[in-house]
Amino acid sequence: QTKTGMALLYDEVSENAYDIRLKLTKEVLTIQKQDVVCVSGSDHSANHRTVTLRRQPVGGLGLSIKGGAEHKVPVVISKIFKDQAADQTGMLFIGDAVIQVNGINVESATHEEVVHLLRNAGDEVTITVQYLREAPSFLKLPLGSPGPSSDHSSGTSSPLFDSGLHLNGNSTNTAPSSPSSPIANEPKYEKRWLDALSVPLSMARISRYKTGTDKLRSNAFEVLALDGVSTGILQLYTAQESADWLRAISTNISDLTLQNMKMANKCCSPSDQVIHMGWVNERLEGTDSTQLYKYKFLALKGSSFYIFSTPPVSTLDWVRAEKIYNLCEVLFKIHKLWLADDCWLQANLYLGIHQDYDLEDQRPYCFSVLVGHGKSHYFNVELGNELAVWEKSFQRAIFLEVQRTGSKTYVCSWQGDTLCFTVDFALGFTCFDSKTKNVLWRFKFSQLKGSSDDGKTRVKLLFQNLDTKQIETKELEFQDLTAVLHCIHSFIAAKVASVDPVFMDSQSIARKYMYSN
């Protein structure tokens, strides 16, 4: 199914916007620009057309013009009056820039100079025109030709002077002149929407932010292809149109990503499947106050969480990742929609993992992934539904990895002894001597009632003795305490989800937020 619609292409350098037409298919977003094309006859040059107009006693040349050098645009035909001189030629169109009048070049002429030339050019006026494909929107030219019936621009009048040349000029001949009409073998021209740029949507990304800032563009966005080709800034007329286009383009990108995942998964073992992948913005920790973001491509595959600078296209690309983390040892946190009763805390576990981010960030839809050694990555996505998908995908990928792994063992120490600490999906927690393998203690997940740590290497785990109902404190020291705490967290959350599969869905912050909005 193809979606089409009108939009503006905004040029940040000139600060002008140009009328374009968008055409969206499943795989490609195409930008079309209007141009005049020769549809029959010998085409001397569709770019430059030379037309002779015969001024009529009633109606004059039958056209109006706008623009001029004082506005940094050429003089263009802004109106063509039906059945009058200009219209009868079949060779002139609204949006044609006037290049010459009776052999005099007017490309750098002011509005008044061109008006004067045309009005004093006698009964026969020969003009050379070229269609202005990128007519600035401030000219407010109707997109249809002729007549204003298909005008998509706002009803306000142009700030530029619109001179009508349908009035009588300085004609020396008062006798009715023969009408301007196309000669039989003259080429015929039509105004058409032509493809100017096609952006493939496979692995493409959308950007709604002004470059290098946290400022959202108003009803505007940019689509960037995998190879870096950009649509430029697409400005829509209303917030509703902008939302509709964003949704449609985003859906097509997601569908293509799903196809790419299915293709990749054919080459992977059942334990190494891609669960989800896509573009995000990662906040760079800068020394100055400005928060810079960089595009990153994330993937959840098999036992790992990958961060790439560019998407993996072949199987060999997976080793090119900037960072690879074990899924059992990461913690997913939604930031912008942070609530005290978030789903992970509902797993009857409090591990003293604090939110130490400043939430001054201007961007909505942010999440972070906490990794080992107390480090973290802070991400932002463009649309709310993407946040919900990442939340669900991380949960699913982590739970699958926990069930596949079954157990994780870490070397730890206490009072000079080297011990082993195992988190097991079926048995819970076990601590044993690394040399003799003697089990020192064992508790079920349900017996863990709390924990505290020093933020470095030491943790206190509080277990309830099933017989005495007393709390027993177990202290351990780990080289990478964060990874161990995340692992405990992943196993408990997976255990809760396995007992009550509906529980995680009912606790999804992002999805609750999306539906309520």
Side-chain angles (χ1 to χ4, degrees), residues 67-358:
E70 66 270 43
H71 301 292
K72 295 179 182 165
V73 288
V75 167
V76 294
I77 296 174
S78 57
K79 285 179 188 169
I80 290 177
F81 295 89
K82 197 164 173 58
D83 297 330
Q84 293 185 17
D87 184 35
Q88 288 170 356
T89 66
M91 289 177 68
L92 293 175
F93 299 87
I94 290 171
D96 276 340
V98 182
I99 308 295
Q100 289 185 348
V101 176
N102 285 350
I104 300 166
N105 189 293
V106 293
E107 287 178 277
S108 304
T110 64
H111 186 87
E112 278 305 319
E113 286 167 347
V114 178
V115 169
H116 181 77
L117 260 177
L118 287 167
R119 283 202 165 136
N120 296 284
D123 293 331
E124 275 204 353
V125 185
T126 300
I127 63 172
T128 300
V129 296
Q130 177 180 11
Y131 187 72
L132 188 63
R133 288 184 77 188
E134 294 187 344
S137 59
F138 64 75
L139 286 172
K140 296 194 183 297
L141 301 178
L143 295 177
S145 173
S149 58
S150 57
D151 184 0
H152 195 288
S153 64
S154 62
T156 57
S157 63
S158 165
L160 302 184
F161 188 44
D162 193 341
S163 296
L165 296 160
H166 51 290
L167 307 170
N168 289 334
N170 296 351
S171 173
T172 53
N173 180 6
T174 52
S177 58
S178 58
S180 312
S181 59
I183 305 159
N185 62 355
E186 279 285 301
K188 285 191 172 65
Y189 296 93
E190 273 183 16
K191 200 193 263 192
R192 288 186 180 171
W193 287 103
L194 303 179
D195 292 357
L197 176 70
S198 291
V199 176
L201 296 177
S202 179
M203 302 284 198
R205 61 185 189 261
I206 297 171
S207 174
R208 297 165 63 209
Y209 292 91
K210 290 183 180 174
T211 314
T213 72
D214 283 332
K215 288 181 180 156
L216 270 174
R217 298 183 188 282
S218 175
N219 304 339
F221 57 88
E222 183 180 8
V223 181
L224 298 106
L226 179 57
D227 61 3
V229 171
S230 165
T231 56
I233 297 147
L234 305 176
Q235 181 88 44
L236 279 301
Y237 294 95
T238 65
Q240 186 58 55
E241 279 182 279
S242 178
D244 289 347
W245 275 100
L246 274 170
R247 196 178 296 114
I249 296 166
S250 171
T251 299
N252 288 13
I253 291 173
S254 298
D255 290 348
L256 291 168
T257 302
L258 210 58
Q259 281 180 31
N260 289 327
M261 280 165 47
K262 284 177 182 173
M263 290 289 287
N265 285 340
K266 283 180 182 176
C267 312
C268 302
S269 66
S271 63
D272 199 27
Q273 299 281 294
V274 181
I275 301 294
H276 187 56
M277 59 185 187
W279 286 103
V280 298
N281 302 295
E282 180 173 17
R283 191 170 82 184
L284 305 176
E285 294 304 322
T287 47
D288 56 358
S289 58
T290 57
Q291 292 169 350
L292 296 174
Y293 281 83
K294 196 168 184 181
Y295 287 115
K296 291 293 165 80
F297 192 85
L298 308 186
L300 303 171
K301 180 178 185 280
S303 62
S304 302
F305 163 50
Y306 295 83
I307 303 176
F308 294 93
S309 55
T310 55
V313 179
S314 71
T315 47
L316 296 172
D317 289 343
W318 290 90
V319 296
R320 284 191 304 98
E322 289 180 357
K323 301 278 183 186
I324 304 176
Y325 299 104
N326 182 280
L327 278 166
C328 288
E329 297 175 353
V330 302
L331 191 67
F332 176 90
K333 287 276 185 191
I334 283 179
H335 274 270
K336 276 306 189 183
L337 312 173
W338 173 252
L339 302 171
D341 60 345
D342 107 324
C343 56
W344 299 100
L345 297 183
Q346 293 289 337
N348 291 332
L349 176 69
Y350 180 68
L351 293 171
I353 298 168
H354 304 292
Q355 291 291 106
D356 55 359
Y357 285 105
D358 61 283

Side-chain angles (χ1 to χ4, degrees), residues 410-472:
Y410 297 91
V411 175
C412 59
S413 61
W414 185 243
Q415 293 178 336
D417 294 329
T418 302
L419 309 173
C420 288
F421 175 75
T422 298
V423 188
D424 187 286
F425 190 67
L427 301 173
F429 306 101
T430 307
C431 187
F432 58 91
D433 189 290
S434 63
K435 291 173 189 164
T436 63
K437 308 296 180 198
N438 287 340
V439 173
L440 304 176
W441 48 261
R442 178 174 280 149
F443 294 98
K444 293 177 181 175
F445 288 121
S446 57
Q447 290 175 269
L448 180 67
K449 297 304 174 188
S451 74
S452 63
D453 64 81
D454 64 358
K456 296 170 189 171
T457 57
R458 288 187 183 188
V459 64
K460 286 182 183 178
L461 298 172
L462 310 175
F463 297 104
Q464 185 175 40
N465 186 304
L466 291 177
D467 299 324
T468 64
K469 304 297 181 194
Q470 295 297 308
I471 296 293
E472 293 183 24

Side-chain angles (χ1 to χ4, degrees), residues 450-504:
S451 74
S452 63
D453 64 81
D454 64 358
K456 296 170 189 171
T457 57
R458 288 187 183 188
V459 64
K460 286 182 183 178
L461 298 172
L462 310 175
F463 297 104
Q464 185 175 40
N465 186 304
L466 291 177
D467 299 324
T468 64
K469 304 297 181 194
Q470 295 297 308
I471 296 293
E472 293 183 24
T473 302
K474 303 296 181 186
E475 282 193 56
L476 297 170
E477 204 164 324
F478 294 92
Q479 207 174 358
D480 184 359
L481 177 60
T482 318
V484 178
L485 294 178
H486 292 171
C487 182
I488 294 172
H489 187 273
S490 298
F491 272 72
I492 290 183
K495 194 74 176 175
V496 172
S498 70
V499 174
D500 181 6
V502 185
F503 173 76
M504 296 320 291

